């Protein structure tokens, strides 16, 4: 890469851009709106959708803006009649191979294909239902968009839907795939797993699970990043909404719900609330409006996790166990380790993830009272995560019966709130229920990369010295997915500790390879499967081509700094939980039974 600049004229406006830039880069800098479907900055520059075509002066053919490099003096027009008509033709081609079910599709309202179809006025009404072909005699058949040669080449085909396991947390409807290859790029280049491939005979090439495998055999970590980067409804989460509605409607069921730290950063996006109004108190009120009997906060359980994991880390160091100890609250990371780096599984913290800890506490306390009343407890977790759907079904995590009965993503929660016509903007704020509703700033930052490590260091230092450390000593806000990992050294109670933080599974693979080769060495390592942590989780609301993780992380950092206590060990409700239940102390026999697990035994 050089420092040379090119002067490019976009729709009459001159901009200076680096010589390696594409027309799309220049158009963005010039403020020109060029539509895209397949493009992902630096990851997917294949130009296959042809939505970004533009006119370049002196060129007969239209150029794909996403992968055409600029040159000095280039003149570009982004929205001439010729360009718009070409985009409409190309969009009609894509729609011919896409089974449109916009009225019932989970992605309706966040589908990039639907959005472009509305803007360009090219709709599925030109297709005969179930055939993918323009119907004979349909007036639309006379439009240039419908009679384009490319569209005609697809017209002889029918929509096909490949078989799929309906119980797997990740769902795929191949009849809605537009072959943009965004999932292929994201999974291979950012998340390391390479679950997807584009293969088959030339006329019938399609996105498929790699090597002809079924999805359960393809070493999928269930991070869900393919879902959040899919422009259509081809990739979604398994819906558990009906199970939740059934529990809410059953008079013999006590319903308990908990919401993860990162949920409060994004839940308003799907119900029309800006961040200023999508508060924690309004989230609690919205969950009550759905009819849940108890509304708890997973932030409380994050504080509980720190008490266990921090204590475990101190024991780990004192016992001279192989280092590093890895955090274990991200089930996508745990799956990745088991499937791709099993040599490190024995070094995972045995602490369960926060929502599983809270589920265990609920099922071992509240459930006993419910049994006496002839009722049963249904425990729901609202999570920013796809892998949590897998985790709650792992039989080795159950203390007696399943501690968490179902997991909804934030997208599913928003659908449920819309289904129940909850006017979230009009709700008065209410607190989470006691005693599992009090939390600290340390619990809140669990939702962003580095947050678990920072919270653990704050309390581990106190456990070792009896004094709270300066917050800046434990600070990990410099951790970002743009760098493979953050490392840091600190001295606590005579111990010189080296820690590392990584998010995103390609970054994780680089760190693990460096650890295995002896290139680096650490005492404690935090891993989050999703780039940036849970704030950018695979279960969060989708905004096409917008990475909202940093914006959401700022919400959690604000909660941490808002004046509440910032140390998990100072949570009075946590102290009471240990004192007034069988738990007693961190790492006790009961704590081991309720709050710890052996990931090596987990079923995949």
């Amino acid at each position: 890469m050089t420092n040379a600049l090119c002067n490019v004229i976009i729709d009459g406006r001159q901009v200076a851009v680096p010589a390696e830039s594409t027309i799309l880069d220049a158009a963005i800098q010039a403020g020109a709106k060029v539509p895209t479907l397949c493009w992902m900055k630096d990851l997917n520059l294949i130009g296959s959708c042809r939505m970004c075509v533009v006119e370049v002066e002196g060129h007969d053919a239209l150029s794909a803006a996403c992968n055409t490099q600029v040159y000095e003096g280039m003149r570009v027009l982004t929205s001439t009649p010729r360009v718009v008509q070409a985009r409409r033709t190309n969009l009609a081609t894509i729609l011919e191979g896409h089974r449109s079910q916009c009225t019932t599709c989970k992605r309706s309202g966040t589908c990039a294909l639907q959005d472009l179809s509305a803007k360009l006025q090219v709709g599925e009404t030109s297709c005969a239902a179930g055939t993918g072909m323009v119907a004979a005699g349909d007036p639309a058949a006379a439009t240039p968009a419908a009679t384009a040669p490319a569209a005609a080449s697809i017209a002889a085909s029918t929509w096909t839907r490949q078989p799929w396991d309906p119980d797997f947390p990740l769902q795929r409807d191949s009849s809605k795939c537009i072959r943009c290859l965004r999932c292929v790029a994201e999974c291979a280049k950012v998340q390391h797993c390479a679950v997807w491939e584009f293969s088959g005979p030339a006329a019938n090439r399609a996105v498929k699970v790699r090597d002809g495998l079924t999805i359960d055999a393809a070493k999928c970590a269930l991070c869900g990043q393919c879902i959040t980067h899919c422009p259509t409804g081809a990739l979604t989460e398994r819906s558990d909404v009906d199970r939740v509605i059934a529990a809410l409607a059953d008079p013999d069921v006590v319903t308990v719900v908990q919401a993860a730290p990162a949920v409060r950063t994004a839940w308003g996006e799907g119900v029309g609330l800006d961040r200023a109004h999508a508060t924690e108190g309004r989230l609690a009120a919205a969950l009550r409006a759905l009819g849940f009997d108890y509304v708890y906060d997973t932030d409380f359980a994050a504080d509980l996790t720190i008490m266990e994991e921090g204590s475990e880390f101190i024991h780990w160091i004192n016992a001279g166990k192989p280092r590093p100890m890895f955090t274990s609250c991200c089930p996508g990371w745990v799956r990745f380790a088991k499937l791709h780096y099993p040599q490190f599984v024995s070094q995972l913290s045995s602490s369960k993830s926060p929502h599983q800890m809270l589920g265990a506490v609920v099922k071992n306390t509240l459930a006993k009272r419910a049994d006496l009343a002839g009722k049963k407890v249904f425990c729901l977790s609202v999570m920013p995560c796809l892998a949590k759907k897998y985790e709650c079904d792992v039989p080795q995590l159950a203390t007696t019966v399943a501690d968490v009965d179902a997991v909804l993503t934030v997208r599913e929660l928003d659908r449920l709130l819309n289904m129940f016509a909850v006017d979230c903007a009009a709700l008065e704020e209410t607190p989470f229920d006691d005693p599992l509703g009090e939390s600290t700033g340390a619990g809140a930052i669990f939702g962003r990369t580095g947050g678990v490590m920072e919270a653990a260091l704050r309390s581990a230092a106190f456990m070792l010295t009896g004094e709270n450390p300066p917050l800046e000593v434990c600070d990990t806000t410099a951790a970002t997915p743009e760098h493979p990992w953050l490392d840091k050294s600190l001295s606590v109670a005579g111990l010189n500790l080296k820690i590392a933080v990584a998010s995103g599974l390609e970054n994780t693979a680089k760190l693990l390879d460096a650890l295995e080769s002896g290139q680096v060495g650490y005492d404690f390592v935090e891993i989050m499967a999703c780039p940036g942590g849970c704030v950018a989780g695979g279960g969060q609301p989708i905004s096409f081509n917008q990475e909202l993780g940093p914006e959401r992380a700022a919400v959690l950092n604000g909660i941490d700094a808002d004046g509440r206590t910032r140390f998990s060990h100072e949570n009075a409700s946590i102290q009471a939980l240990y004192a007034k239940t069988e738990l007693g102390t961190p790492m006790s026999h009961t704590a081991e039974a309720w709050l710890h697990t052996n990931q090596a035994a987990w079923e995949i």
Side-chain angles (χ1 to χ4, degrees):
M1 182 176 290
T2 68
N3 294 322
L5 296 177
C6 279
N7 293 298
V8 182
I9 297 175
I10 306 289
D11 295 334
R13 180 180 177 184
Q14 181 171 311
V15 293
V17 296
E20 300 83 7
S21 301
T22 64
I23 294 174
L24 184 58
D25 295 328
I28 292 171
Q29 184 170 321
K33 294 183 178 180
V34 176
T36 65
L37 276 177
C38 65
W39 173 77
M40 296 170 67
K41 186 173 177 60
D42 300 328
L43 294 174
N44 203 42
L45 309 178
I46 59 176
S48 67
C49 72
R50 314 305 287 180
M51 285 295 98
C52 66
V53 291
V54 294
E55 284 193 61
V56 179
E57 186 179 273
H59 294 224
D60 292 334
L62 298 178
S63 301
C66 70
N67 60 11
T68 301
Q69 189 171 333
V70 298
Y71 54 80
E72 180 65 29
M74 177 184 272
R75 292 177 175 269
V76 178
L77 296 173
T78 68
S79 58
T80 65
R82 180 187 177 203
V83 165
V84 171
Q85 188 61 14
R87 289 173 183 163
R88 296 184 76 229
T89 297
N90 297 336
L91 185 56
T93 301
I94 294 170
L95 284 168
E96 295 296 339
H98 170 79
R99 184 167 64 99
S100 298
Q101 289 185 313
C102 296
T103 57
T104 56
C105 183
K106 294 177 183 178
R107 287 294 303 276
S108 184
T110 65
C111 172
L113 183 63
Q114 182 188 48
D115 180 61
L116 270 181
S117 297
K119 289 177 178 175
L120 292 174
Q121 291 293 287
V122 180
E124 69 274 11
T125 53
S126 63
C127 299
T131 65
M133 296 185 289
V134 176
D138 189 328
T143 67
T147 56
S153 69
I154 293 178
S157 68
T158 58
W159 294 308
T160 57
R161 188 171 185 179
Q162 298 165 2
W164 199 264
D165 179 359
D167 295 324
F168 198 70
L170 170 64
Q171 290 294 295
R172 183 169 189 265
D173 184 344
S174 57
S175 69
K176 295 181 180 178
C177 177
I178 61 172
R179 295 179 288 184
C180 65
L181 308 193
R182 288 168 62 96
C183 60
V184 177
E186 181 71 17
C187 191
K189 297 177 182 179
V190 179
Q191 295 299 85
H192 191 78
C193 294
V195 168
W196 309 106
E197 67 180 15
F198 188 54
S199 62
N204 296 294
R205 298 194 79 189
V207 175
K208 303 172 183 176
V209 178
R210 66 175 177 85
D211 302 327
L213 297 170
T214 55
I215 185 61
D216 61 317
K219 296 187 176 182
C220 172
L222 285 173
C223 68
Q225 292 300 304
C226 58
I227 297 176
T228 58
H229 290 83
C230 177
T232 72
L235 292 166
T236 59
E237 69 281 349
R238 182 194 70 218
S239 177
D240 291 305
V241 168
D242 287 344
R243 291 181 58 205
V244 174
I245 293 174
L248 288 168
D250 191 336
D252 294 324
V253 172
V254 176
T255 52
V256 177
V257 64
Q258 59 172 308
V263 173
R264 65 212 64 208
T265 72
W267 74 280
E269 294 171 20
V271 293
L273 292 182
D274 60 27
R275 302 206 191 286
H277 292 90
T279 60
E280 296 175 281
R282 198 161 277 117
L283 170 60
L287 293 169
R288 286 194 181 88
L290 291 172
F292 287 99
D293 297 307
Y294 295 92
V295 178
Y296 293 138
D297 191 356
T298 313
D299 285 23
F300 168 89
D303 286 331
L304 182 60
T305 300
I306 289 303
M307 298 305 294
E308 294 296 324
E309 192 169 70
S311 300
E312 181 183 8
F313 176 62
I314 293 170
H315 173 75
W316 192 287
I317 295 296
N318 291 336
K321 290 187 176 182
R323 302 181 196 178
M325 186 181 92
F326 292 94
T327 60
S328 58
C329 59
C330 172
W333 148 236
V334 173
R335 278 182 63 93
F336 182 75
K338 287 176 67 66
L339 291 168
H340 296 267
Y341 287 87
Q343 63 270 37
F344 289 108
V345 171
S346 63
Q347 291 170 238
L348 290 167
S349 163
S350 67
S351 298
K352 292 181 180 178
S353 67
H355 87 114
Q356 289 290 155
M357 284 196 181
L358 194 144
V361 171
V362 167
K363 288 295 180 77
N364 285 281
T365 55
L366 179 62
K368 293 179 180 179
R369 298 199 299 271
D371 286 342
L372 293 174
K375 296 188 175 185
K376 57 184 178 180
V377 170
F378 181 91
C379 187
L380 169 70
S381 297
V382 180
M383 298 283 121
C385 179
L386 183 69
K388 300 287 189 188
K389 286 181 179 281
Y390 151 77
E391 183 186 31
C392 77
D393 289 334
V394 172
Q396 292 79 12
L397 280 166
T399 50
T400 51
V401 295
D403 294 326
V404 174
D405 296 287
V407 167
L408 293 187
T409 63
V410 183
R411 294 189 295 271
E412 288 175 288
L413 170 63
D414 286 344
R415 291 184 205 119
L416 196 61
L417 290 168
N418 287 321
M419 187 187 301
F420 278 58
V422 177
D423 185 355
C424 296
L427 294 172
E428 294 292 331
E429 297 184 56
T430 62
F432 290 98
D433 287 328
D434 287 330
L436 309 182
E438 181 182 353
S439 63
T440 70
I445 59 174
F446 257 60
R448 53 97 169 153
T449 181
V452 177
M453 176 64 70
E454 184 168 339
L457 292 175
R458 291 178 189 179
S459 287
F462 174 83
M463 294 173 189
L464 286 166
T465 67
E467 296 180 355
N468 288 338
L471 291 169
E472 61 272 13
V473 171
C474 307
D475 183 81
T476 60
T477 52
T480 70
E482 286 72 39
H483 303 285
W485 67 86
L486 167 76
D487 61 10
K488 187 168 184 170
S489 299
L490 62 158
S491 179
V492 180
L495 295 174
N496 294 316
L497 301 177
K498 293 188 68 178
I499 62 100
V501 174
S503 68
L505 294 176
E506 182 62 29
N507 288 339
T508 297
K510 291 175 181 176
L511 173 55
L512 297 179
D513 289 342
L515 284 167
E516 189 164 31
S517 68
Q519 177 184 343
V520 296
Y522 297 105
D523 300 296
F524 196 8
V525 172
E526 178 202 307
I527 303 291
M528 291 290 179
C530 295
C534 304
V535 287
Q540 293 280 55
I542 299 170
S543 295
F544 184 66
N545 274 342
Q546 295 184 62
E547 300 295 343
L548 298 177
E551 185 178 326
R552 294 167 179 162
V555 174
L556 298 181
N557 290 333
I559 292 172
D560 180 33
D562 74 352
R564 71 172 77 183
T565 179
R566 303 178 72 176
F567 297 89
S568 296
H569 55 271
E570 293 181 351
N571 185 330
S573 292
I574 291 288
Q575 296 167 2
L577 180 70
Y578 281 109
K580 297 180 180 180
T581 68
E582 300 168 53
L583 287 175
T585 60
M587 304 288 288
S588 68
H589 177 75
T590 301
E592 289 284 347
W594 289 9
L595 309 179
H596 291 260
T597 185
N598 175 18
Q599 294 91 350
W602 285 17
E603 295 179 10
I604 293 288

